[in-house]
Amino acid sequence: DTGVSQDPRHKITKRGQNVTFRCDPISEHNRLYWYRQTLGQGPEFLTYFQNEAQLEKSRLLSDRFSAERPKGSFSTLEIQRTEQGDSAMYLCASSAVAGGGTDTQYFGPGTRLTVL
Amino acid sequence: AQSVAQPEDQVNVAEGNPLTVKCTYSVSGNPYLFWYVQYPNRGLQFLLKYITGDNLVKGSYGFEAEFNKSQTSFHLKKPSALVSDSALYFCAVRDISSGGGADGLTFGKGTHLIIQP
């Protein structure tokens, strides 16, 4: 399967612990996006990379969140000192650069985080 | 700021009947519009997008959507519904006048489509 993959699919942690998620984009896609989806809501944009450069962060991305894409391939999203409000589905998407924002984002299956 | 409204939490349609899932948007510039579908415990799957040109866009699985600039709408349609179309549908917009067009998508809250046999 050559789609976007995410690991783990599920994560249960205790409040205050740190967690890290991984996303592997579609091969040769140079853009990678992170979204968060809570129950009954649509995905909310968190941040995106073009190659290894993080070009935009949403106001939703608090100081406890950090994302990296060190070699322009896979990406990690770390949440430090997790809070119960962090419980959500974290979605990753990738796309191939296209002029003027016409690129289509393809989503992975998501990582469901539960903070106890 | 851009926004998307999906006014119906749920749409019920009998199998074989036409279906419409409504979406309206608000952007300061020109919109790029997308429809995605989400099945339980799975990520979002791309259905179709409007960038420019013909207002009627055809996509996967027999779905189509009509862009109406005056009504700022982008309703999803299908002539004949299948039970397998039952899923959660999201409309999304990107305002190409902001951030060089590379910003993340803004999604609606989603509409549950239920096709009854």
Side-chain angles (χ1 to χ4, degrees):
Chain A
D1 184 79
T2 57
V4 178
S5 61
Q6 293 186 245
D7 184 69
R9 295 291 305 275
H10 303 273
K11 179 70 177 178
I12 299 174
T13 191
K14 293 182 180 180
R15 188 176 54 186
Q17 299 294 304
N18 299 342
V19 294
T20 300
F21 310 140
R22 176 179 170 125
C23 171
D24 287 88
I26 293 171
S27 179
E28 299 180 355
H29 275 189
N30 57 350
R31 287 186 179 159
L32 188 148
Y33 299 78
W34 285 100
Y35 290 82
R36 180 175 69 189
Q37 184 180 18
T38 54
L39 197 62
Q41 302 295 319
E44 296 172 296
F45 170 72
L46 293 178
T47 188
Y48 100 96
F49 293 83
Q50 180 154 322
N51 299 314
E52 65 275 11
Q54 188 173 16
L55 297 186
E56 186 182 358
K57 297 181 189 180
S58 161
R59 286 171 291 179
L60 293 174
L61 209 67
S62 76
D63 292 344
R64 296 184 297 105
F65 288 68
S66 62
E68 295 183 342
R69 195 183 183 198
K71 296 184 178 180
S73 56
F74 73 92
S75 175
T76 58
L77 177 68
E78 181 183 17
I79 308 175
Q80 296 182 327
R81 304 181 303 281
T82 53
E83 301 172 356
Q84 289 184 327
D86 296 331
S87 295
M89 176 77 85
Y90 289 85
L91 296 168
C92 175
S94 70
S95 69
V97 66
T102 61
D103 55 299
T104 297
Q105 296 176 30
Y106 295 92
F107 284 79
T111 294
R112 181 168 296 283
L113 172 67
T114 301
V115 182
L116 301 176
Chain B
Q2 56 207 43
S3 65
V4 173
Q6 293 183 241
E8 301 154 318
D9 290 336
Q10 183 170 305
V11 171
N12 295 284
V13 178
E15 186 177 26
N17 283 0
L19 69 88
T20 298
V21 182
K22 296 180 180 178
C23 170
T24 59
Y25 66 89
S26 175
V27 297
S28 57
N30 291 318
Y32 290 158
L33 293 154
F34 302 78
W35 275 102
Y36 285 85
V37 58
Q38 188 173 36
Y39 296 98
N41 300 314
R42 297 180 65 178
L44 280 74
Q45 294 181 28
F46 169 73
L47 281 179
L48 52 79
K49 67 181 178 183
Y50 171 82
I51 302 298
T52 187
D54 194 345
N55 289 342
L56 186 62
V57 178
K58 294 187 182 297
S60 307
Y61 312 118
F63 283 94
E64 58 189 29
E66 186 169 11
F67 171 65
N68 187 317
K69 188 173 183 178
S70 62
Q71 296 184 3
T72 62
S73 67
F74 189 55
H75 300 331
L76 181 70
K77 300 180 180 183
K78 187 173 182 180
S80 178
L82 300 173
V83 172
S84 58
D85 292 331
S86 298
L88 183 57
Y89 289 79
F90 290 98
C91 181
V93 68
R94 170 187 275 156
D95 183 349
I96 63 171
S97 66
S98 65
D103 297 348
L105 297 173
T106 297
F107 285 84
K109 291 186 176 181
T111 298
H112 288 274
L113 177 63
I114 298 175
I115 309 301
Q116 296 154 334

